């Protein structure tokens, strides 16, 4: 199938915009990816060690409260902790709008989509109200810098990030025969090892067994984090001796995180990983039932370059299946909202300036109704890909209601629906939607018809 610029923006970007021209070719899309992250620089995000409030702030507030228990100062200490929790919730909304503003105004929509795809692949969730805003920090710090690099580097960054270690309880995992266990008893946790094999690399049907999970879990002991330093490697937590994973031996001498990295690199290069990631990428961007030729093309690109994600992405864009005119994928709620903002030409500053209440009313609350919580997916396997998970009676009612109401809340002057249908859909606009938009009694109704149509809901 031939390349079309409108389809490039819809299927591989964050939608069409009246302000920003769609990409002219796959080569231009790749060129943008290899250039500087301009929208990331324009709308910055903090790191784990610079974010405010931090887990260290919460730790210190907890310690301060504990010191004054049973005294007149205890209530003030409780209020200080509640203030930090409120601040963390505000940051969660703030970071949501920063990321939406990026998607709505970037010239490089594929970068946003790749970050979202890989962040979902390495799903993390917060363990409480003080870390909910750190999920976005994880994506910014562990995923975004590596979407055009090697998968092995992204894997290392994700596995050593405090949010991943916290989410899968790795901080509390130590070898049954470690120095730590001699003082406190065994505490091996297999969560990170299991998800690393099942979800992040080989796949649920990959060539591994329970012994591999157990041995890998023992190898991962020592990986932890502190609020002050971020990732740390605790040698006194490490299970002594060599561990055998998929027939290869790691460690055995002095404890070293290099042994862990060696195993991660081998898992990243494994043929099953190449196949698993290729199927997942093809399913996410093109079709829930991708062709074997597309999957094999991506698998070969990954295998032959030892996991070069830029080459893999370029091969995806060069494949004829990528430009099939049939829109088969359904936009998740957040993607749907962002493509709406983009089609309306909403400016980044107007989005990042929103207070908590309008963010909740216009975005977070309706997203929840549509089936996507800003807290993240329910499990480590990420958001679903199949249309049936998103196109539910409640979800569609939420989408239609939002389509009719939200545009008037995010822009002062609604465009003419007869123009908007072409702006939002380009060559993908069907005659039925064009007619319905032109026949609407009001601009709000016409725009709502376009946004709630299958033409706009799919990509």
């Amino acid at each position: 199938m031939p390349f079309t610029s409108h389809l490039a923006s819809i299927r591989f970007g964050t939608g069409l915009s009246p302000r920003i021209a769609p990409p002219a070719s796959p080569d231009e899309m790749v060129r943008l990816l290899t250039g500087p992250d301009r929208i990331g620089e324009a709308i910055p995000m903090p790191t784990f060690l610079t974010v405010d409030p931090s887990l260290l702030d919460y730790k210190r507030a907890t310690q301060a409260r504990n010191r004054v228990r049973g005294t007149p100062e205890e209530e003030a200490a409780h209020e200080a902790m509640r203030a930090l929790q409120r601040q963390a919730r505000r940051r969660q909304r703030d970071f949501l709008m920063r990321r939406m503003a990026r998607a709505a105004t970037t010239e490089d929509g594929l970068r946003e989509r790749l970050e979202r795809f890989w962040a979902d692949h390495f799903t993390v969730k917060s363990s409480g109200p003080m870390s909910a805003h750190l999920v976005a920090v994880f994506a910014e710090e562990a995923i975004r810098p590596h979407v055009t690099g090697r998968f092995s580097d992204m894997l290392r960054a994700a596995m050593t990030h405090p949010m991943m270690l916290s989410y899968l309880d790795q901080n509390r995992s130590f070898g049954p025969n470690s120095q730590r266990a001699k003082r406190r008893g065994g505490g091996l946790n297999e969560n990170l090892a299991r998800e690393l094999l099942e979800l992040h690399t080989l796949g649920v049907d990959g060539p591994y067994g329970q012994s591999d999970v157990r041995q890998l879990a023992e190898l991962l002991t020592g990986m932890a984090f502190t609020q002050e330093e971020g990732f740390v490697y605790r040698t006194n937590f490490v299970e002594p001796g060599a561990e055998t994973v998929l027939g290869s031996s790691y460690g055995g001498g002095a404890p070293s995180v290099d042994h862990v990295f060696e195993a991660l690199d081998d898992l990243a290069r494994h043929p099953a990983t190449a196949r698993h990631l290729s199927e997942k990428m093809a399913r996410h961007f093109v079709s829930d039932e991708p062709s074997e030729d597309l999957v094999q093309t991506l698998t070969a690109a990954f295998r032959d370059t030892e996991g070069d994600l830029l080459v893999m992405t370029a091969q995806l864009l060069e494949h004829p299946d990528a430009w099939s005119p049939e829109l088969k994928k359904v936009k998740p709620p957040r993607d749907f909202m962002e493509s709406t903002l983009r089609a309306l030409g909403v400016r980044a500053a107007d989005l990042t300036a929103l207070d908590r209440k309008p963010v909740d009313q216009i975005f977070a609350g309706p997203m929840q109704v549509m089936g996507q919580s800003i807290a993240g997916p329910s499990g480590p396997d990420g958001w679903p890909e199949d249309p049936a998970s998103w196109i539910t009676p409640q979800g569609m009612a939420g989408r239609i209601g939002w389509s009719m109401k939200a545009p008037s809340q995010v822009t002062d002057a609604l465009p003419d629906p007869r123009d908007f249908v072409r702006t939002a859909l380009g060559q993908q606009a069907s005659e039925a939607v064009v007619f319905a938009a032109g026949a609407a009694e009001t601009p709000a109704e016409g725009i709502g018809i376009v946004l709630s149509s299958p033409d706009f809901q799919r990509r």
Side-chain angles (χ1 to χ4, degrees):
M1 300 291 180
F3 168 88
T4 61
S5 60
H6 288 81
L7 189 57
S9 290
I10 293 170
R11 179 167 294 156
F12 296 104
T14 54
L16 291 163
S17 166
R19 303 181 188 277
I20 303 164
S25 67
D27 286 344
E28 182 184 345
M29 298 169 75
V30 173
R31 179 181 60 78
L32 287 170
L33 280 176
T34 57
D37 182 6
R38 298 190 185 283
I39 197 67
E41 295 169 358
I43 308 174
M45 293 278 292
T47 66
F48 179 80
L49 295 179
T50 64
V51 69
D52 176 28
S54 67
L55 293 183
L56 182 58
D57 294 329
Y58 194 62
K59 176 182 178 181
R60 289 170 174 166
T62 302
Q63 291 171 339
R65 180 199 61 187
N66 292 340
R67 285 195 297 268
V68 297
R69 283 191 183 278
T71 72
E73 290 79 25
E74 182 175 2
E75 179 54 35
H78 278 296
E79 176 53 32
M81 292 189 65
R82 289 192 291 267
L84 282 176
Q85 292 173 354
R86 290 192 295 269
Q87 185 182 6
R89 287 193 293 270
R90 287 195 297 271
R91 285 288 184 266
Q92 183 184 30
R93 269 71 176 167
D94 171 37
F95 295 164
L96 171 66
M97 298 318 299
R98 291 193 202 185
R99 299 170 86 191
M100 280 193 163
R102 285 179 176 180
T105 60
T106 184
E107 295 182 357
D108 182 12
L110 181 55
R111 190 187 301 269
E112 304 307 311
R113 291 289 307 284
L114 288 171
E115 181 204 305
R116 193 157 311 171
F117 168 71
W118 289 113
D120 192 59
H121 178 74
F122 290 107
T123 290
V124 299
K125 289 192 69 174
S126 65
S127 57
M130 272 309 300
S131 59
H133 61 307
L134 300 181
V135 173
V137 172
F138 166 81
E140 185 74 10
E141 199 168 16
I143 304 301
R144 193 177 185 93
H146 303 291
V147 296
T148 59
R150 293 194 178 278
F151 178 72
S152 57
D153 293 333
M154 183 187 290
L155 182 64
R156 285 193 187 193
M159 292 301 102
T160 57
H161 196 276
M163 283 302 291
M164 181 67 75
L165 299 172
S166 172
Y167 176 44
L168 296 177
D169 296 321
Q170 183 63 26
N171 237 31
R172 295 196 291 268
S173 181
F174 49 93
N177 300 296
S178 65
Q179 296 175 23
R180 169 82 169 186
K182 293 176 182 178
R183 300 192 306 270
R184 192 175 166 180
L188 187 68
N189 187 303
E190 296 182 354
N191 289 351
L192 182 61
R194 188 174 305 279
E195 305 307 351
L196 174 55
L197 294 174
E198 181 176 309
L199 299 178
H200 302 148
T201 57
L202 307 180
V204 66
D205 297 319
Y208 65 91
Q210 175 55 33
S211 174
D212 296 304
V213 174
R214 173 79 181 191
Q215 294 274 295
L216 182 57
E218 292 181 351
L219 181 65
L220 296 178
T221 52
M223 292 177 61
F225 75 94
T226 69
Q227 293 90 338
E228 297 87 351
E229 303 170 86
F231 175 71
V232 296
Y233 189 70
R234 295 169 171 163
T235 57
N236 62 319
F237 277 45
V238 175
E239 176 69 7
E243 311 295 344
T244 302
V245 181
L246 303 182
S248 296
S249 180
Y250 304 95
S256 171
V257 73
D258 290 340
H259 301 147
V260 175
F261 290 158
E262 183 183 355
L264 292 180
D265 289 347
D266 285 347
L267 288 172
R269 287 191 295 262
H270 198 283
T273 299
R275 176 76 187 192
H276 173 55
L277 299 182
S278 298
E279 288 180 340
K280 194 168 184 177
M281 177 176 273
R283 194 162 55 246
H284 176 80
F285 282 100
V286 178
S287 171
D288 290 321
E289 297 181 358
S291 71
E292 181 62 21
D293 185 70
L294 173 58
V295 174
Q296 287 188 4
T297 296
L298 297 180
T299 302
F302 186 97
R303 183 189 62 237
D304 295 347
T305 62
E306 295 193 340
D308 188 321
L309 299 182
L310 181 63
V311 173
M312 190 182 184
T313 301
Q315 287 295 302
L316 172 68
L317 298 177
E318 291 292 340
H319 198 278
D321 289 4
W323 308 109
S324 169
E326 183 181 359
L327 303 179
K328 298 179 179 180
K329 301 294 298 183
V330 173
K331 298 175 186 176
R334 181 177 150 197
D335 296 50
F336 160 58
M337 290 180 171
E338 289 170 347
S339 57
T340 296
L341 297 172
R342 190 172 177 85
L344 290 168
V346 179
R347 297 184 184 277
D350 294 332
L351 295 171
T352 56
L354 289 174
D355 291 331
R356 182 193 61 80
K357 187 173 182 180
V359 170
D360 283 343
Q361 292 177 341
I362 303 173
F363 299 104
M367 274 178 60
Q368 182 84 41
V369 173
M370 296 179 205
Q372 189 171 32
S373 167
I374 66 170
S378 59
D381 53 346
W383 295 111
E385 288 287 350
D386 62 296
S389 296
W390 300 118
I391 304 302
T392 64
Q394 178 177 320
M396 278 308 304
R399 289 178 186 239
I400 294 170
W402 190 85
S403 298
M404 295 295 175
K405 184 178 180 181
S408 298
Q409 297 174 311
V410 297
T411 184
D412 294 331
L414 293 176
D416 187 319
R418 293 169 294 184
D419 298 327
F420 180 75
V421 67
R422 296 299 185 187
T423 299
L425 294 170
Q427 299 167 357
Q428 301 300 129
S430 65
E431 292 183 6
V433 175
V434 171
F435 175 81
E441 295 185 359
T442 66
E445 180 181 297
I447 289 170
I449 288 171
V450 174
L451 297 178
S452 58
S453 70
D455 295 20
F456 192 82
Q457 297 290 328
R458 293 183 178 271
R459 61 188 178 201

